Every structure is written in C-alpha cells, then in structure tokens.
C-alpha cells in the first residue's frame, strides 16, 4: 500500500473536498483523485459516498480513516525517533473554540514553532461539542475549549485544566435597569450569543430554564469582540469573561451589570487522547503556554485540574 495514497485519502476526509485536500498537499485535484482511487482499488471498496458534497466517507471509509490515521502517526513517530537529536516531525492538529482563538493563535503557536521547528501546526476552529468528537475520532490531536462550570470533557479523553474565569453580563451604557437587577429583569432583553455549542450560551440557557424564564436570542455572533461591539450599540446583552472585557478597547463603551444571585463561571480545558505518542511534548508545551495566555490572573494551582482564581479588581468602581 502506498502511503501517499493513504495521506491523500486522509486529507480528503479531514477537509471534506478534493479541492481543499489538493491545496493542503500541494497537488492537483486530478492527482488527489487518482491517489484516492488507487487506495479504493487496493482495498476493493468505495471509501466515499458519491455524489455528495461535502464528500462523506462510507462506513468502510470511516473505518479506513481510523486505521489509516494510526498508520500515518506510527510512520511519523518512526521518522521522529530516527531524526537527528530526536527532532519531532510531522503534524500537530489542534482545534480551538472561538472564545480561545486569539490566545491560542498568538504566543502558544510561537512557542511551538520555536521549540519544534520541524513540526507542522494546523489550527482549526469549532464549538466544543464538535471539537470533542473530532478528538475522539482522532481527526485532531488536541483541542483547547471552554465548557460551563460543572461540565467535564468525556472520561475517555485526557482533560487538563487551563483556566477558570468568572463571567459578567454587559449591555449598553444607557440601558435602563432598576437599581438592583435580577435575572427576571433581563428576561425581556435579547441576548447576543455564539452559535449552539457555545459554552457562554449554554450557561445562560440553563440558568434561564432553571428560573422558568424565557431566553431570547437576538443575534448569533461568533466572536467575543463582535458580541461586545453589538452590546455597546444597544443591540442586546452579552456574556463574557471579566478579563476579556477589561482588555477590550470597547470596555468603556459598555455597562457591566451586577446580578447578586448570578455568578457563572466557565472553565477552559486542553483535551487529547490518552496516549499522544510523539506529540506528548508539543501538547504539554501548548497547554502550558495556554495557561499563561488564557489564565492571566486565573492560575492553575498545585494539583492537576485544580484551579484558583485571583479576582481582578482593575475595573471595579
């Protein structure tokens, strides 16, 4: 079996199209098609449902993907072990939820590239449920994501705590609200949230449902900066971390809303499969860099998974 045919097949599964796979592999589209067809002939079965856009693997294709990814990883581990000075080669595939994208794509990536110059890093974004599924299916090697407090990643994955941060409700500065605000007072307002799967949105929905209140989604916006900008213009209310609010240039254009009986938290994790093999060191470096970038004043303390938050009073009063 030709490993190049296998690599082409894996790329098509992961990107969902011949065109995207060709761009990733620096090949022509007919070249990718030929390699996939070669693999199908060798295995004696169709690996994709045709016609379907995006291309979807058949049952045999999904099984071939699982086995094929392990074969390629084993080859990459062999190359790394035989490389001079134990250089780690191949690819590290990391998924990042939108609320962490800015931090994940800055300092941590720089550290990875500096420490492991022969390692190619591929970043994708997605909401936590899809990222967890991709790690479980070995479609990505690790994922940095945030989940509502009290929610943990699946037990079959290794989950390492990155940060735990308090969330704060914000709205336009001229928003007319009573002196003491309750969640019921906010039930008539629209909310600016991420798409289904966003941890902030899940936190709000659960609390509103627990109180028997209506939760109205006004705008779905993928990034925290966009949600903050819309809130400043009076489009609706938004939920975000206090640290992110303080760092934003829009901080002075919104009003933090104090809710005495509502103090939600969100916890960020770095998850990966239990045996990352040659990627153990890069994943550990990425996690530690994320803690420095995302944690800020919210540091991981002693024991694994134990987090202590130092409350930031920079913007209080």
């Amino acid at each position: 079996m030709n490993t190049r045919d296998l690599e082409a097949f894996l790329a098509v599964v992961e990107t969902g199209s011949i065109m995207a796979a060709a761009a990733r592999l620096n090949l022509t589209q007919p070249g990718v098609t030929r390699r996939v067809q070669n693999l199908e002939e060798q295995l004696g079965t169709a690996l994709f449902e045709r016609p379907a856009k995006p291309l979807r693997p058949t049952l045999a294709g999904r099984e071939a993907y699982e086995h094929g990814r392990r074969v390629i990883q084993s080859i990459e581990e062999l190359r790394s072990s035989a490389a001079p000075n134990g250089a780690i080669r191949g690819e590290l595939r990391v998924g990042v939820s939108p609320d962490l994208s800015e931090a994940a794509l800055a300092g941590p990536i720089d550290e990875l590239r500096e420490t492991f110059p022969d390692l190619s890093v591929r970043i994708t974004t997605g909401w936590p449920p899809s990222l967890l599924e991709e790690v479980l299916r070995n479609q990505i090697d690790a994922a940095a994501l945030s989940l509502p407090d009290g929610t943990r990643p699946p037990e079959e994955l290794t989950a390492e705590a990155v940060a735990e941060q308090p969330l704060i409700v914000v709205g336009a500065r001229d928003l007319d609200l009573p002196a003491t605000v309750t969640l019921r007072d906010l039930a008539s307002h629209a909310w600016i949230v991420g798409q289904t799967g966003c941890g902030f949105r899940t936190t709000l929905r659960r609390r509103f449902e627990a109180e028997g209140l209506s939760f109205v989604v006004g705008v779905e916006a993928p990034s925290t900066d966009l949600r903050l900008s819309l809130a400043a213009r009076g489009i609706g209310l938004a939920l975000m971390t206090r640290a992110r609010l303080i760092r934003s240039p829009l901080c002075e254009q919104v009003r933090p809303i104090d809710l005495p009986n509502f103090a939600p938290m969100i916890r960020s994790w770095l998850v990966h499969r239990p045996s990352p093999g040659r990627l153990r060191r890069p994943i550990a470096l990425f996690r530690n860099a994320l803690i420095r970038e995302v944690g800020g004043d919210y540091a991981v303390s002693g024991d694994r998974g134990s987090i202590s938050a130092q409350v930031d009073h920079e913007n209080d009063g």
Side-chain angles (χ1 to χ4, degrees):
M1 181 178 295
N2 191 322
T3 57
R4 292 183 178 179
D5 295 342
L6 186 56
E7 288 173 342
F9 164 66
L10 298 181
V12 175
V13 173
E14 292 171 356
T15 62
S17 75
I18 297 292
M19 180 185 297
R24 179 193 292 186
L25 298 174
N26 197 26
L27 295 171
T28 64
Q29 293 182 52
V32 172
T33 299
R34 282 195 301 272
R35 292 187 179 186
V36 172
Q37 290 172 340
N38 289 341
L39 184 61
E40 289 180 319
E41 290 175 3
Q42 293 177 57
L43 297 177
T45 186
L47 298 177
F48 290 100
E49 297 177 3
R50 298 182 176 90
K53 292 184 179 181
L55 281 174
R56 294 191 300 270
T58 60
L59 176 59
R62 292 194 294 271
E63 293 178 352
Y65 177 85
E66 295 290 336
H67 291 293
R69 173 49 64 183
R70 288 195 290 271
V71 169
I72 295 301
Q73 286 178 335
S74 296
I75 292 173
E76 291 175 346
E77 289 178 7
L78 175 60
R79 288 171 177 166
S80 293
S81 64
N85 303 318
I88 296 178
R89 304 180 185 278
E91 184 178 62
L92 172 63
R93 303 162 300 162
V94 180
V96 184
S97 59
D99 60 294
L100 295 174
S101 294
E102 180 180 331
L105 294 175
I109 298 302
D110 290 340
E111 290 193 37
L112 276 173
R113 298 295 301 133
E114 181 177 352
T115 306
F116 305 102
D118 297 315
L119 183 68
S120 173
V121 181
R122 178 157 58 88
I123 300 291
T124 59
T125 59
W127 297 108
S130 62
L131 292 179
L132 291 170
E133 184 66 22
E134 288 178 30
V135 177
L136 286 168
R137 291 181 174 274
N138 202 26
Q139 294 175 328
I140 56 177
D141 302 303
L145 50 86
S146 296
L147 297 173
D149 192 34
T151 304
R152 288 186 59 89
E155 289 296 327
E156 52 266 52
L157 296 178
T158 297
E160 302 180 87
V162 172
E164 185 179 66
Q165 299 186 62
L167 300 177
I168 186 170
V169 177
V170 299
R173 293 195 67 86
D174 59 355
L175 194 63
D176 184 21
L177 289 172
T180 302
V181 184
T182 67
L183 207 60
R184 184 172 296 276
D185 295 322
L186 303 184
S188 61
H189 293 266
W191 289 84
I192 307 163
V193 295
Q195 294 170 308
T196 300
C198 170
F200 295 178
R201 178 173 180 161
T202 301
T203 297
L204 283 167
R205 179 180 53 78
R206 288 179 178 175
R207 183 56 185 269
F208 271 76
E209 289 177 351
E211 298 285 336
L213 301 172
S214 297
F215 176 55
V216 180
V217 175
V219 178
E220 287 188 352
S223 72
T224 302
D225 288 337
L226 179 56
R227 293 197 289 270
L228 187 57
S229 175
L230 292 171
R233 298 203 298 273
I235 304 300
L237 304 175
L239 187 68
M240 63 191 56
T241 64
R242 179 180 292 273
R244 186 64 177 271
L245 174 61
I246 291 171
R247 291 196 299 267
S248 172
L250 296 172
C251 179
E252 299 301 324
Q253 298 181 34
V254 295
R255 167 189 174 183
I257 300 170
D258 183 33
L259 294 164
N261 297 317
F262 184 54
M265 305 287 289
I266 196 157
R267 180 170 290 195
S268 300
W269 303 85
L270 193 283
V271 300
H272 56 84
R273 294 166 72 90
S275 300
R278 82 189 198 290
L279 297 176
R280 177 183 57 82
R281 287 173 52 216
I283 288 175
L285 182 147
F286 186 73
R287 171 188 175 271
N288 292 337
L290 271 178
I291 290 173
R292 290 192 294 273
E293 293 284 342
V294 178
D297 293 331
Y298 304 91
V300 177
S301 63
D303 298 335
R304 176 185 176 277
S306 175
I307 304 175
S308 62
Q310 301 173 10
V311 180
D312 189 344
H313 297 288
E314 181 178 338
N315 201 41
D316 294 349

